[in-house]
Amino acid sequence: MTNSSTSGLSTSVAGHAADDFVIQLLVSRGLVDSAQLGRSQARVAEHVDLTTSAPRLFDVLMADTGLDPRKVTALLAAEFGLPVAPDFDTLRVPGDVLGLIPRELAARYLVLPFAHEARVLRLAVADPLDTEAVDSLGHLLNLSIEPHVASARDIAAAIDRFYGKDAGSIDELLSNLSAPGNGDSAVATTEASGLGEITDTDADAPVVKLVHTLILEAIQRRASDIHLEPLEKRFRVRYRIDGVLLEVENPPKRLQLSIISRLKIMANISIAEKRIPQDGRIQIMMNGRQLDLRVSSLPTAHGESIVMRILDKEGLQLGLPELGFFSDDQKELERLISLPDGIVLVTGPTGSGKTTTLYSCLHHINKPDRKIITVEDPVEYQLNGINQVPVRADIGMTFASALRAMLRQAPNIVMIGEIRDLETAEIAINASLTGHMVFSTLHTNDAPSAVTRLIDIGVKPFLVSTSLRATIAQRLVRKICAKCRQPYAPSASELRSLNITPAQAATANFARGSGCAACNGTGFRGRLTIVELFIVNEEIQRMIYEHAGSSALREKARSLGMRTMREDGLRKVLAGLTTIEEVISITVGDAN
């Protein structure tokens, strides 16, 4: 594959295809006559500078004849029996498809991935003669490549559009930062700008490019959050992908202050204050989607630790089946959230998907004849048709004060981001007893423990028994990657670990991922919920009123048919959605 300059790429239509072959093809098809070819050859021989200091005959011929680039692309595709790539101006390429080929590889080979189905990657190529590059990419990705022909100019423009303007790879940026002093100059530039976005004056600052490349790479790799952690002798950067932290190339320790200052400026938080925690937000556009990054700064022994949570508003899956609810649990939950009053709680640790489940419930019952108000800290995703109120403790807008004001707005349904204290719990319960449906979250390990948690913070047992309709405890487990999913026969010890009977094993669809480019070799891609649905009926109400403990409530609920999270996870293992190891690791200590 021959190399071309940037200007050469912008004018070339065939790209890296052998010039002689394409020119002969144009002549044989009558698109260029011998006289035109001769004139262009003479101009090259005279070293007439049309496009570059060393003009290519093909570029000169295209300029002289004014040929339509689309005709040349179609001719080249027909000659090789390949389809023509779609119009990039109207095409939308998913981020996971772009993530299969890094920007630097796409630019080097002048290719663009634009669709991925099963084990086939559709790839726009400028040079159909370069089969070695296509074969190399197919081998690297372990995928079958289906090439589509496009002009080099269109591919180069599409690479800039879909991947963003080239800021270089992280490795390249780190090498550019090897000279002492670069980090300091970048800080001075970014601090002077005082803006959360790149400005013309700081667009070339190496630290600015490094920060934006770290963010864009995290998004392309489907990370849920980015961790920048100052340690004693290094500055560690990790991405959380499908719930697991993955360490990436670490920037030099000496750039720690520069990078943190840049991020704090982008998040609109004070770079002068380094003694107390701070929170902020960064908004960016990528592939036409608006993404929010929730930024948290925490002082540590070796500097400020930064965590950025990536919130993709458009990428939020709001259907209960997409979250992992099987049809029986989904039907029961839909019945509960359609009740006219009461409280439904979602419980679990931080990062277990509680807010997403609540949003899914709201999405299901969001109808024009119902008024829904939420109070959240902060508002993570904006939902159409729903009034969302952010908590602002610094000005006195707490959960409790927001709730009192909300109830004067005559809502049908109220969502509280989290019940944290007695005041909030009492207002929520009073709202449920006066004809409102209330949704909220609570931090407990299982579903029945939500009852004792409410009583522990001071709510009277009779109020809990009359207002609570159900609690849902949940965890997130990784899904087996659909691209590399393979049948799997677990060992006898693995079957025993989840108490899987021979009858269950005989009809199960056990599977695991072998690891591929789509899942970064992990065998997992995406996550789903495993749930424990605790429904408060008359018997449970009586036990709550009589101060029964969580273990007694759990035993009674199990006798009434409640499945534990481990048992729900088992169902998803048998269905081939996740693995035995995943369920066991997430539900350690879960009683069967």
Side-chain angles (χ1 to χ4, degrees), residues 324-359:
F325 284 84
F326 278 166
S327 57
D328 52 351
D329 286 335
Q330 179 184 343
K331 183 178 179 180
E332 187 63 32
L333 181 56
E334 289 176 351
R335 180 191 69 81
L336 289 167
I337 64 180
S338 299
L339 295 173
D341 54 39
I343 295 180
V344 172
L345 296 174
V346 182
T347 75
T350 301
S352 60
K354 300 186 297 297
T355 301
T356 303
T357 298
L358 284 180
Y359 281 168

Side-chain angles (χ1 to χ4, degrees), residues 99-100 220-222 241-242 246 481 515-525:
L100 293 175
Q220 289 174 353
R221 295 175 71 169
R222 303 179 299 104
I241 302 173
D242 293 333
L246 174 68
C481 176
C516 64
C519 61
N520 294 318
T522 64
F524 297 98
R525 184 176 174 88

Side-chain angles (χ1 to χ4, degrees), residues 185-210 212 262 265-266:
S185 63
V187 171
T189 306
T190 53
E191 288 183 359
S193 69
L195 298 174
E197 298 178 359
I198 295 180
T199 64
D200 292 337
T201 57
D202 63 18
D204 295 325
V207 168
V208 173
K209 286 186 176 182
L210 176 58
H212 282 256
R262 174 60 186 170
I265 289 169
M266 293 174 68

Side-chain angles (χ1 to χ4, degrees), residues 360-405:
S360 300
C361 294
L362 294 181
H363 178 74
H364 179 77
I365 59 179
N366 185 16
K367 301 292 188 295
D369 61 341
R370 296 173 179 172
K371 179 160 184 173
I372 303 175
I373 304 180
T374 74
V375 54
E376 305 171 59
D377 182 22
V379 174
E380 294 189 5
Y381 299 99
Q382 294 173 356
L383 304 177
N384 291 329
I386 293 177
N387 302 278
Q388 296 173 269
V389 179
V391 167
R392 291 283 306 277
D394 55 332
I395 59 173
M397 188 67 159
T398 62
F399 273 110
S401 60
L403 269 172
R404 292 190 190 93

Side-chain angles (χ1 to χ4, degrees), residues 9-22:
L9 288 179
S10 66
T11 58
S12 169
V13 177
H16 293 148
D19 288 356
D20 289 344
F21 176 83
V22 181

Side-chain angles (χ1 to χ4, degrees), residues 206-316:
V207 168
V208 173
K209 286 186 176 182
L210 176 58
V211 167
H212 282 256
T213 302
L214 284 169
I215 294 173
L216 291 177
E217 182 174 306
I219 293 169
Q220 289 174 353
R221 295 175 71 169
R222 303 179 299 104
S224 59
D225 41 70
I226 306 169
H227 296 250
L228 297 97
E229 302 159 316
L231 306 178
E232 183 179 2
K233 295 182 179 179
R234 62 191 180 107
F235 186 41
R236 184 169 63 183
V237 177
R238 296 191 288 178
Y239 299 154
R240 190 184 298 278
I241 302 173
D242 293 333
V244 177
L245 283 170
L246 174 68
E247 187 168 348
V248 298
E249 184 72 19
N250 293 329
K253 176 71 172 177
R254 62 183 175 79
L255 296 179
Q256 176 178 312
L257 291 177
S258 304
I259 293 170
I260 291 174
S261 294
R262 174 60 186 170
L263 288 170
K264 291 173 74 173
I265 289 169
M266 293 174 68
N268 197 29
I269 58 181
S270 173
I271 62 173
E273 181 56 73
K274 301 178 181 179
R275 301 165 300 172
I276 61 175
Q278 297 185 84
D279 296 300
R281 260 192 189 193
I282 299 172
Q283 288 190 336
I284 62 172
M285 293 293 294
M286 183 178 180
N287 294 338
R289 305 195 331 261
Q290 180 174 301
L291 301 171
D292 276 6
L293 278 70
R294 202 169 84 194
V295 181
S296 171
S297 168
L298 178 69
T300 69
H302 301 292
E304 291 176 279
S305 173
I306 300 284
V307 175
M308 294 180 282
R309 184 175 180 188
I310 301 170
L311 306 175
D312 182 0
K313 297 178 182 179
E314 295 183 13
L316 185 66

